[in-house]
PDB file of all heavy atoms in Angstrom:
ATOM      1  N   GLN A   1      11.438 -10.985  28.057  1.00 63.00           N
ATOM      2  CA  GLN A   1      11.805 -11.085  26.656  1.00 63.00           C
ATOM      3  C   GLN A   1      10.661 -10.909  25.685  1.00 63.00           C
ATOM      4  O   GLN A   1      10.851 -10.993  24.500  1.00 63.00           O
ATOM      5  CB  GLN A   1      12.529 -12.416  26.398  1.00 63.00           C
ATOM      6  CG  GLN A   1      13.932 -12.439  26.979  1.00 63.00           C
ATOM      7  CD  GLN A   1      14.709 -13.634  26.485  1.00 63.00           C
ATOM      8  OE1 GLN A   1      14.159 -14.572  25.921  1.00 63.00           O
ATOM      9  NE2 GLN A   1      15.998 -13.630  26.707  1.00 63.00           N
ATOM     10  N   LYS A   2       9.463 -10.747  26.166  1.00 76.00           N
ATOM     11  CA  LYS A   2       8.333 -10.632  25.258  1.00 76.00           C
ATOM     12  C   LYS A   2       8.198  -9.168  24.796  1.00 76.00           C
ATOM     13  O   LYS A   2       8.187  -8.252  25.600  1.00 76.00           O
ATOM     14  CB  LYS A   2       7.055 -11.100  25.928  1.00 76.00           C
ATOM     15  CG  LYS A   2       7.055 -12.592  26.177  1.00 76.00           C
ATOM     16  CD  LYS A   2       5.736 -13.042  26.769  1.00 76.00           C
ATOM     17  CE  LYS A   2       5.784 -14.544  27.009  1.00 76.00           C
ATOM     18  NZ  LYS A   2       4.553 -15.059  27.610  1.00 76.00           N
ATOM     19  N   ARG A   3       8.096  -9.056  23.491  1.00 81.00           N
ATOM     20  CA  ARG A   3       7.899  -7.737  22.903  1.00 81.00           C
ATOM     21  C   ARG A   3       6.754  -7.799  21.901  1.00 81.00           C
ATOM     22  O   ARG A   3       6.593  -8.777  21.214  1.00 81.00           O
ATOM     23  CB  ARG A   3       9.187  -7.271  22.202  1.00 81.00           C
ATOM     24  CG  ARG A   3      10.371  -7.036  23.134  1.00 81.00           C
ATOM     25  CD  ARG A   3      11.645  -6.838  22.341  1.00 81.00           C
ATOM     26  NE  ARG A   3      11.998  -8.046  21.592  1.00 81.00           N
ATOM     27  CZ  ARG A   3      13.036  -8.117  20.757  1.00 81.00           C
ATOM     28  NH1 ARG A   3      13.796  -7.068  20.517  1.00 81.00           N
ATOM     29  NH2 ARG A   3      13.310  -9.256  20.136  1.00 81.00           N
ATOM     30  N   VAL A   4       6.006  -6.729  21.881  1.00 84.00           N
ATOM     31  CA  VAL A   4       4.932  -6.586  20.906  1.00 84.00           C
ATOM     32  C   VAL A   4       5.323  -5.462  19.948  1.00 84.00           C
ATOM     33  O   VAL A   4       5.630  -4.359  20.377  1.00 84.00           O
ATOM     34  CB  VAL A   4       3.578  -6.261  21.584  1.00 84.00           C
ATOM     35  CG1 VAL A   4       2.499  -6.028  20.546  1.00 84.00           C
ATOM     36  CG2 VAL A   4       3.198  -7.379  22.532  1.00 84.00           C
ATOM     37  N   PHE A   5       5.352  -5.788  18.668  1.00 85.00           N
ATOM     38  CA  PHE A   5       5.657  -4.798  17.639  1.00 85.00           C
ATOM     39  C   PHE A   5       4.387  -4.477  16.866  1.00 85.00           C
ATOM     40  O   PHE A   5       3.734  -5.356  16.308  1.00 85.00           O
ATOM     41  CB  PHE A   5       6.728  -5.335  16.684  1.00 85.00           C
ATOM     42  CG  PHE A   5       8.065  -5.491  17.291  1.00 85.00           C
ATOM     43  CD1 PHE A   5       8.427  -6.682  17.919  1.00 85.00           C
ATOM     44  CD2 PHE A   5       8.984  -4.458  17.230  1.00 85.00           C
ATOM     45  CE1 PHE A   5       9.704  -6.837  18.467  1.00 85.00           C
ATOM     46  CE2 PHE A   5      10.254  -4.609  17.816  1.00 85.00           C
ATOM     47  CZ  PHE A   5      10.607  -5.799  18.426  1.00 85.00           C
ATOM     48  N   VAL A   6       4.045  -3.185  16.846  1.00 88.00           N
ATOM     49  CA  VAL A   6       2.926  -2.723  16.016  1.00 88.00           C
ATOM     50  C   VAL A   6       3.552  -2.101  14.762  1.00 88.00           C
ATOM     51  O   VAL A   6       4.261  -1.088  14.852  1.00 88.00           O
ATOM     52  CB  VAL A   6       2.067  -1.698  16.760  1.00 88.00           C
ATOM     53  CG1 VAL A   6       0.941  -1.184  15.845  1.00 88.00           C
ATOM     54  CG2 VAL A   6       1.495  -2.313  18.030  1.00 88.00           C
ATOM     55  N   GLU A   7       3.333  -2.726  13.626  1.00 90.00           N
ATOM     56  CA  GLU A   7       3.983  -2.305  12.381  1.00 90.00           C
ATOM     57  C   GLU A   7       2.946  -1.782  11.393  1.00 90.00           C
ATOM     58  O   GLU A   7       1.771  -2.196  11.435  1.00 90.00           O
ATOM     59  CB  GLU A   7       4.719  -3.493  11.757  1.00 90.00           C
ATOM     60  CG  GLU A   7       5.765  -4.119  12.669  1.00 90.00           C
ATOM     61  CD  GLU A   7       6.406  -5.372  12.054  1.00 90.00           C
ATOM     62  OE1 GLU A   7       6.036  -5.710  10.894  1.00 90.00           O
ATOM     63  OE2 GLU A   7       7.244  -5.995  12.727  1.00 90.00           O
ATOM     64  N   PHE A   8       3.388  -0.914  10.499  1.00 93.00           N
ATOM     65  CA  PHE A   8       2.487  -0.384   9.472  1.00 93.00           C
ATOM     66  C   PHE A   8       2.988  -0.825   8.103  1.00 93.00           C
ATOM     67  O   PHE A   8       4.179  -0.857   7.827  1.00 93.00           O
ATOM     68  CB  PHE A   8       2.444   1.135   9.504  1.00 93.00           C
ATOM     69  CG  PHE A   8       1.463   1.653  10.530  1.00 93.00           C
ATOM     70  CD1 PHE A   8       1.787   1.703  11.867  1.00 93.00           C
ATOM     71  CD2 PHE A   8       0.197   2.078  10.124  1.00 93.00           C
ATOM     72  CE1 PHE A   8       0.883   2.171  12.805  1.00 93.00           C
ATOM     73  CE2 PHE A   8      -0.711   2.530  11.068  1.00 93.00           C
ATOM     74  CZ  PHE A   8      -0.375   2.573  12.393  1.00 93.00           C
ATOM     75  N   GLU A   9       2.024  -1.183   7.262  1.00 93.00           N
ATOM     76  CA  GLU A   9       2.317  -1.481   5.888  1.00 93.00           C
ATOM     77  C   GLU A   9       1.235  -0.833   5.017  1.00 93.00           C
ATOM     78  O   GLU A   9       0.179  -0.445   5.512  1.00 93.00           O
ATOM     79  CB  GLU A   9       2.384  -2.983   5.624  1.00 93.00           C
ATOM     80  CG  GLU A   9       1.100  -3.721   5.906  1.00 93.00           C
ATOM     81  CD  GLU A   9       1.237  -5.211   5.619  1.00 93.00           C
ATOM     82  OE1 GLU A   9       2.353  -5.690   5.465  1.00 93.00           O
ATOM     83  OE2 GLU A   9       0.173  -5.875   5.527  1.00 93.00           O
ATOM     84  N   TYR A  10       1.529  -0.732   3.702  1.00 95.00           N
ATOM     85  CA  TYR A  10       0.685   0.097   2.829  1.00 95.00           C
ATOM     86  C   TYR A  10       0.264  -0.691   1.619  1.00 95.00           C
ATOM     87  O   TYR A  10       1.068  -1.251   0.885  1.00 95.00           O
ATOM     88  CB  TYR A  10       1.461   1.351   2.406  1.00 95.00           C
ATOM     89  CG  TYR A  10       2.180   1.980   3.594  1.00 95.00           C
ATOM     90  CD1 TYR A  10       3.552   1.790   3.782  1.00 95.00           C
ATOM     91  CD2 TYR A  10       1.468   2.697   4.546  1.00 95.00           C
ATOM     92  CE1 TYR A  10       4.200   2.313   4.872  1.00 95.00           C
ATOM     93  CE2 TYR A  10       2.123   3.212   5.658  1.00 95.00           C
ATOM     94  CZ  TYR A  10       3.476   3.027   5.809  1.00 95.00           C
ATOM     95  OH  TYR A  10       4.123   3.542   6.918  1.00 95.00           O
ATOM     96  N   TYR A  11      -1.051  -0.741   1.408  1.00 96.00           N
ATOM     97  CA  TYR A  11      -1.641  -1.464   0.287  1.00 96.00           C
ATOM     98  C   TYR A  11      -2.559  -0.529  -0.476  1.00 96.00           C
ATOM     99  O   TYR A  11      -3.074   0.457   0.064  1.00 96.00           O
ATOM    100  CB  TYR A  11      -2.443  -2.673   0.763  1.00 96.00           C
ATOM    101  CG  TYR A  11      -1.633  -3.934   0.916  1.00 96.00           C
ATOM    102  CD1 TYR A  11      -0.522  -3.981   1.762  1.00 96.00           C
ATOM    103  CD2 TYR A  11      -1.954  -5.098   0.239  1.00 96.00           C
ATOM    104  CE1 TYR A  11       0.232  -5.126   1.903  1.00 96.00           C
ATOM    105  CE2 TYR A  11      -1.235  -6.256   0.370  1.00 96.00           C
ATOM    106  CZ  TYR A  11      -0.130  -6.259   1.205  1.00 96.00           C
ATOM    107  OH  TYR A  11       0.615  -7.398   1.326  1.00 96.00           O
ATOM    108  N   CYS A  12      -2.785  -0.838  -1.749  1.00 96.00           N
ATOM    109  CA  CYS A  12      -3.746  -0.098  -2.559  1.00 96.00           C
ATOM    110  C   CYS A  12      -4.397  -1.093  -3.509  1.00 96.00           C
ATOM    111  O   CYS A  12      -3.686  -1.862  -4.185  1.00 96.00           O
ATOM    112  CB  CYS A  12      -3.060   1.033  -3.317  1.00 96.00           C
ATOM    113  SG  CYS A  12      -4.225   2.199  -4.056  1.00 96.00           S
ATOM    114  N   ASN A  13      -5.693  -1.098  -3.536  1.00 95.00           N
ATOM    115  CA  ASN A  13      -6.457  -2.054  -4.375  1.00 95.00           C
ATOM    116  C   ASN A  13      -6.028  -3.498  -4.103  1.00 95.00           C
ATOM    117  O   ASN A  13      -5.913  -4.306  -5.028  1.00 95.00           O
ATOM    118  CB  ASN A  13      -6.294  -1.710  -5.864  1.00 95.00           C
ATOM    119  CG  ASN A  13      -7.061  -0.465  -6.252  1.00 95.00           C
ATOM    120  OD1 ASN A  13      -7.731   0.160  -5.419  1.00 95.00           O
ATOM    121  ND2 ASN A  13      -6.979  -0.086  -7.511  1.00 95.00           N
ATOM    122  N   GLY A  14      -5.754  -3.780  -2.839  1.00 93.00           N
ATOM    123  CA  GLY A  14      -5.439  -5.147  -2.446  1.00 93.00           C
ATOM    124  C   GLY A  14      -4.036  -5.620  -2.715  1.00 93.00           C
ATOM    125  O   GLY A  14      -3.706  -6.768  -2.465  1.00 93.00           O
ATOM    126  N   GLN A  15      -3.134  -4.724  -3.193  1.00 93.00           N
ATOM    127  CA  GLN A  15      -1.772  -5.071  -3.491  1.00 93.00           C
ATOM    128  C   GLN A  15      -0.810  -4.153  -2.734  1.00 93.00           C
ATOM    129  O   GLN A  15      -1.157  -3.013  -2.421  1.00 93.00           O
ATOM    130  CB  GLN A  15      -1.497  -4.957  -4.998  1.00 93.00           C
ATOM    131  CG  GLN A  15      -2.376  -5.872  -5.865  1.00 93.00           C
ATOM    132  CD  GLN A  15      -2.090  -7.328  -5.614  1.00 93.00           C
ATOM    133  OE1 GLN A  15      -0.954  -7.721  -5.356  1.00 93.00           O
ATOM    134  NE2 GLN A  15      -3.119  -8.176  -5.644  1.00 93.00           N
ATOM    135  N   PRO A  16       0.421  -4.629  -2.446  1.00 94.00           N
ATOM    136  CA  PRO A  16       1.384  -3.758  -1.809  1.00 94.00           C
ATOM    137  C   PRO A  16       1.593  -2.466  -2.617  1.00 94.00           C
ATOM    138  O   PRO A  16       1.630  -2.504  -3.845  1.00 94.00           O
ATOM    139  CB  PRO A  16       2.671  -4.614  -1.787  1.00 94.00           C
ATOM    140  CG  PRO A  16       2.181  -6.014  -1.784  1.00 94.00           C
ATOM    141  CD  PRO A  16       0.944  -5.994  -2.651  1.00 94.00           C
ATOM    142  N   LEU A  17       1.750  -1.362  -1.909  1.00 95.00           N
ATOM    143  CA  LEU A  17       1.837  -0.066  -2.574  1.00 95.00           C
ATOM    144  C   LEU A  17       3.090   0.015  -3.463  1.00 95.00           C
ATOM    145  O   LEU A  17       4.192  -0.345  -3.066  1.00 95.00           O
ATOM    146  CB  LEU A  17       1.940   1.051  -1.510  1.00 95.00           C
ATOM    147  CG  LEU A  17       2.202   2.451  -2.019  1.00 95.00           C
ATOM    148  CD1 LEU A  17       1.043   2.934  -2.892  1.00 95.00           C
ATOM    149  CD2 LEU A  17       2.415   3.411  -0.857  1.00 95.00           C
ATOM    150  N   GLN A  18       2.866   0.500  -4.675  1.00 94.00           N
ATOM    151  CA  GLN A  18       3.963   0.871  -5.573  1.00 94.00           C
ATOM    152  C   GLN A  18       3.796   2.370  -5.889  1.00 94.00           C
ATOM    153  O   GLN A  18       2.737   2.762  -6.375  1.00 94.00           O
ATOM    154  CB  GLN A  18       3.910   0.046  -6.866  1.00 94.00           C
ATOM    155  CG  GLN A  18       4.112  -1.414  -6.676  1.00 94.00           C
ATOM    156  CD  GLN A  18       4.185  -2.180  -7.986  1.00 94.00           C
ATOM    157  OE1 GLN A  18       4.873  -1.755  -8.914  1.00 94.00           O
ATOM    158  NE2 GLN A  18       3.483  -3.278  -8.089  1.00 94.00           N
ATOM    159  N   THR A  19       4.811   3.142  -5.604  1.00 94.00           N
ATOM    160  CA  THR A  19       4.708   4.575  -5.815  1.00 94.00           C
ATOM    161  C   THR A  19       5.219   4.953  -7.197  1.00 94.00           C
ATOM    162  O   THR A  19       5.999   4.231  -7.833  1.00 94.00           O
ATOM    163  CB  THR A  19       5.521   5.331  -4.750  1.00 94.00           C
ATOM    164  OG1 THR A  19       6.888   4.866  -4.767  1.00 94.00           O
ATOM    165  CG2 THR A  19       4.916   5.117  -3.365  1.00 94.00           C
ATOM    166  N   ASN A  20       4.752   6.115  -7.636  1.00 94.00           N
ATOM    167  CA  ASN A  20       5.219   6.745  -8.885  1.00 94.00           C
ATOM    168  C   ASN A  20       4.998   5.902 -10.137  1.00 94.00           C
ATOM    169  O   ASN A  20       5.806   5.914 -11.070  1.00 94.00           O
ATOM    170  CB  ASN A  20       6.712   7.111  -8.751  1.00 94.00           C
ATOM    171  CG  ASN A  20       6.956   8.046  -7.592  1.00 94.00           C
ATOM    172  OD1 ASN A  20       6.336   9.096  -7.499  1.00 94.00           O
ATOM    173  ND2 ASN A  20       7.856   7.678  -6.700  1.00 94.00           N
ATOM    174  N   LYS A  21       3.899   5.143 -10.152  1.00 91.00           N
ATOM    175  CA  LYS A  21       3.525   4.382 -11.322  1.00 91.00           C
ATOM    176  C   LYS A  21       2.019   4.523 -11.537  1.00 91.00           C
ATOM    177  O   LYS A  21       1.269   4.485 -10.577  1.00 91.00           O
ATOM    178  CB  LYS A  21       3.857   2.894 -11.175  1.00 91.00           C
ATOM    179  CG  LYS A  21       5.341   2.579 -11.060  1.00 91.00           C
ATOM    180  CD  LYS A  21       5.569   1.088 -10.912  1.00 91.00           C
ATOM    181  CE  LYS A  21       7.052   0.757 -10.801  1.00 91.00           C
ATOM    182  NZ  LYS A  21       7.284  -0.699 -10.651  1.00 91.00           N
ATOM    183  N   TYR A  22       1.573   4.651 -12.793  1.00 91.00           N
ATOM    184  CA  TYR A  22       0.143   4.626 -13.082  1.00 91.00           C
ATOM    185  C   TYR A  22      -0.292   3.168 -13.027  1.00 91.00           C
ATOM    186  O   TYR A  22      -0.291   2.434 -14.002  1.00 91.00           O
ATOM    187  CB  TYR A  22      -0.154   5.250 -14.435  1.00 91.00           C
ATOM    188  CG  TYR A  22      -0.049   6.753 -14.409  1.00 91.00           C
ATOM    189  CD1 TYR A  22       0.959   7.413 -15.116  1.00 91.00           C
ATOM    190  CD2 TYR A  22      -0.914   7.511 -13.617  1.00 91.00           C
ATOM    191  CE1 TYR A  22       1.068   8.790 -15.042  1.00 91.00           C
ATOM    192  CE2 TYR A  22      -0.798   8.879 -13.553  1.00 91.00           C
ATOM    193  CZ  TYR A  22       0.201   9.524 -14.274  1.00 91.00           C
ATOM    194  OH  TYR A  22       0.323  10.889 -14.212  1.00 91.00           O
ATOM    195  N   PHE A  23      -0.682   2.794 -11.856  1.00 90.00           N
ATOM    196  CA  PHE A  23      -0.918   1.388 -11.595  1.00 90.00           C
ATOM    197  C   PHE A  23      -2.325   1.139 -11.089  1.00 90.00           C
ATOM    198  O   PHE A  23      -2.860   0.050 -11.178  1.00 90.00           O
ATOM    199  CB  PHE A  23       0.098   0.898 -10.550  1.00 90.00           C
ATOM    200  CG  PHE A  23       0.051  -0.568 -10.262  1.00 90.00           C
ATOM    201  CD1 PHE A  23       0.599  -1.468 -11.129  1.00 90.00           C
ATOM    202  CD2 PHE A  23      -0.549  -1.042  -9.116  1.00 90.00           C
ATOM    203  CE1 PHE A  23       0.571  -2.839 -10.867  1.00 90.00           C
ATOM    204  CE2 PHE A  23      -0.591  -2.401  -8.848  1.00 90.00           C
ATOM    205  CZ  PHE A  23      -0.048  -3.297  -9.730  1.00 90.00           C
ATOM    206  N   TYR A  24      -2.991   2.176 -10.539  1.00 96.00           N
ATOM    207  CA  TYR A  24      -4.242   1.986  -9.867  1.00 96.00           C
ATOM    208  C   TYR A  24      -5.396   2.679 -10.614  1.00 96.00           C
ATOM    209  O   TYR A  24      -5.188   3.671 -11.321  1.00 96.00           O
ATOM    210  CB  TYR A  24      -4.174   2.602  -8.452  1.00 96.00           C
ATOM    211  CG  TYR A  24      -3.018   2.031  -7.660  1.00 96.00           C
ATOM    212  CD1 TYR A  24      -1.895   2.789  -7.374  1.00 96.00           C
ATOM    213  CD2 TYR A  24      -3.034   0.723  -7.203  1.00 96.00           C
ATOM    214  CE1 TYR A  24      -0.818   2.267  -6.684  1.00 96.00           C
ATOM    215  CE2 TYR A  24      -1.978   0.163  -6.528  1.00 96.00           C
ATOM    216  CZ  TYR A  24      -0.850   0.950  -6.245  1.00 96.00           C
ATOM    217  OH  TYR A  24       0.196   0.408  -5.566  1.00 96.00           O
ATOM    218  N   VAL A  25      -6.577   2.124 -10.443  1.00 96.00           N
ATOM    219  CA  VAL A  25      -7.800   2.705 -11.035  1.00 96.00           C
ATOM    220  C   VAL A  25      -8.836   2.763  -9.918  1.00 96.00           C
ATOM    221  O   VAL A  25      -9.079   1.743  -9.236  1.00 96.00           O
ATOM    222  CB  VAL A  25      -8.315   1.856 -12.216  1.00 96.00           C
ATOM    223  CG1 VAL A  25      -9.616   2.470 -12.770  1.00 96.00           C
ATOM    224  CG2 VAL A  25      -7.270   1.754 -13.308  1.00 96.00           C
ATOM    225  N   ASN A  26      -9.434   3.930  -9.719  1.00 96.00           N
ATOM    226  CA  ASN A  26     -10.415   4.042  -8.649  1.00 96.00           C
ATOM    227  C   ASN A  26     -11.808   3.637  -9.118  1.00 96.00           C
ATOM    228  O   ASN A  26     -11.997   3.228 -10.261  1.00 96.00           O
ATOM    229  CB  ASN A  26     -10.404   5.453  -8.048  1.00 96.00           C
ATOM    230  CG  ASN A  26     -10.906   6.524  -8.974  1.00 96.00           C
ATOM    231  OD1 ASN A  26     -11.497   6.237 -10.031  1.00 96.00           O
ATOM    232  ND2 ASN A  26     -10.650   7.781  -8.627  1.00 96.00           N
ATOM    233  N   SER A  27     -12.815   3.773  -8.215  1.00 93.00           N
ATOM    234  CA  SER A  27     -14.165   3.289  -8.528  1.00 93.00           C
ATOM    235  C   SER A  27     -14.834   4.085  -9.633  1.00 93.00           C
ATOM    236  O   SER A  27     -15.834   3.658 -10.189  1.00 93.00           O
ATOM    237  CB  SER A  27     -15.006   3.309  -7.259  1.00 93.00           C
ATOM    238  OG  SER A  27     -15.091   4.637  -6.728  1.00 93.00           O
ATOM    239  N   LEU A  28     -14.293   5.275  -9.934  1.00 96.00           N
ATOM    240  CA  LEU A  28     -14.812   6.122 -11.030  1.00 96.00           C
ATOM    241  C   LEU A  28     -14.102   5.856 -12.354  1.00 96.00           C
ATOM    242  O   LEU A  28     -14.379   6.533 -13.329  1.00 96.00           O
ATOM    243  CB  LEU A  28     -14.722   7.585 -10.645  1.00 96.00           C
ATOM    244  CG  LEU A  28     -15.528   8.025  -9.417  1.00 96.00           C
ATOM    245  CD1 LEU A  28     -15.272   9.463  -9.063  1.00 96.00           C
ATOM    246  CD2 LEU A  28     -17.028   7.797  -9.655  1.00 96.00           C
ATOM    247  N   GLY A  29     -13.146   4.926 -12.344  1.00 96.00           N
ATOM    248  CA  GLY A  29     -12.410   4.607 -13.571  1.00 96.00           C
ATOM    249  C   GLY A  29     -11.221   5.523 -13.819  1.00 96.00           C
ATOM    250  O   GLY A  29     -10.679   5.503 -14.923  1.00 96.00           O
ATOM    251  N   THR A  30     -10.827   6.273 -12.837  1.00 97.00           N
ATOM    252  CA  THR A  30      -9.725   7.229 -12.975  1.00 97.00           C
ATOM    253  C   THR A  30      -8.389   6.513 -12.690  1.00 97.00           C
ATOM    254  O   THR A  30      -8.222   5.879 -11.637  1.00 97.00           O
ATOM    255  CB  THR A  30      -9.857   8.404 -12.003  1.00 97.00           C
ATOM    256  OG1 THR A  30     -11.101   9.056 -12.246  1.00 97.00           O
ATOM    257  CG2 THR A  30      -8.721   9.402 -12.162  1.00 97.00           C
ATOM    258  N   SER A  31      -7.430   6.630 -13.609  1.00 97.00           N
ATOM    259  CA  SER A  31      -6.095   6.072 -13.382  1.00 97.00           C
ATOM    260  C   SER A  31      -5.287   7.054 -12.544  1.00 97.00           C
ATOM    261  O   SER A  31      -5.300   8.257 -12.780  1.00 97.00           O
ATOM    262  CB  SER A  31      -5.396   5.837 -14.724  1.00 97.00           C
ATOM    263  OG  SER A  31      -6.094   4.855 -15.466  1.00 97.00           O
ATOM    264  N   TYR A  32      -4.532   6.503 -11.602  1.00 98.00           N
ATOM    265  CA  TYR A  32      -3.769   7.407 -10.721  1.00 98.00           C
ATOM    266  C   TYR A  32      -2.531   6.680 -10.192  1.00 98.00           C
ATOM    267  O   TYR A  32      -2.420   5.458 -10.225  1.00 98.00           O
ATOM    268  CB  TYR A  32      -4.621   7.913  -9.581  1.00 98.00           C
ATOM    269  CG  TYR A  32      -5.061   6.878  -8.564  1.00 98.00           C
ATOM    270  CD1 TYR A  32      -4.399   6.739  -7.353  1.00 98.00           C
ATOM    271  CD2 TYR A  32      -6.146   6.030  -8.810  1.00 98.00           C
ATOM    272  CE1 TYR A  32      -4.793   5.800  -6.408  1.00 98.00           C
ATOM    273  CE2 TYR A  32      -6.572   5.106  -7.877  1.00 98.00           C
ATOM    274  CZ  TYR A  32      -5.886   4.995  -6.683  1.00 98.00           C
ATOM    275  OH  TYR A  32      -6.283   4.051  -5.742  1.00 98.00           O
ATOM    276  N   GLN A  33      -1.612   7.506  -9.709  1.00 97.00           N
ATOM    277  CA  GLN A  33      -0.410   6.997  -9.038  1.00 97.00           C
ATOM    278  C   GLN A  33      -0.248   7.740  -7.735  1.00 97.00           C
ATOM    279  O   GLN A  33      -0.723   8.883  -7.571  1.00 97.00           O
ATOM    280  CB  GLN A  33       0.856   7.183  -9.885  1.00 97.00           C
ATOM    281  CG  GLN A  33       1.217   8.594 -10.162  1.00 97.00           C
ATOM    282  CD  GLN A  33       2.525   8.736 -10.915  1.00 97.00           C
ATOM    283  OE1 GLN A  33       3.393   9.523 -10.518  1.00 97.00           O
ATOM    284  NE2 GLN A  33       2.671   8.016 -12.011  1.00 97.00           N
TER     285      GLN A  33
END
C-alpha cells in the first residue's frame, strides 16, 4: 500500500504562479507576466 508521489508545482518570486497578470518584476526591474 505504500506509494510515492513525485508532484510538480510552480512558483515565481516566492509565490504560487499566477498566469496572464503583470505581477512579477525581475532583477533588472522589468515587469512581466
Side-chain angles (χ1 to χ4, degrees):
Q1 287 191 347
K2 292 183 180 179
R3 295 170 295 176
V4 176
F5 292 89
V6 178
E7 303 175 2
F8 276 80
E9 61 179 15
Y10 315 102
Y11 271 58
C12 192
N13 288 359
Q15 299 296 324
L17 175 63
Q18 296 185 46
T19 56
N20 302 306
K21 295 181 180 180
Y22 286 113
F23 186 77
Y24 306 108
V25 178
N26 68 13
S27 59
L28 297 175
T30 303
S31 296
Y32 67 100
Q33 65 175 228

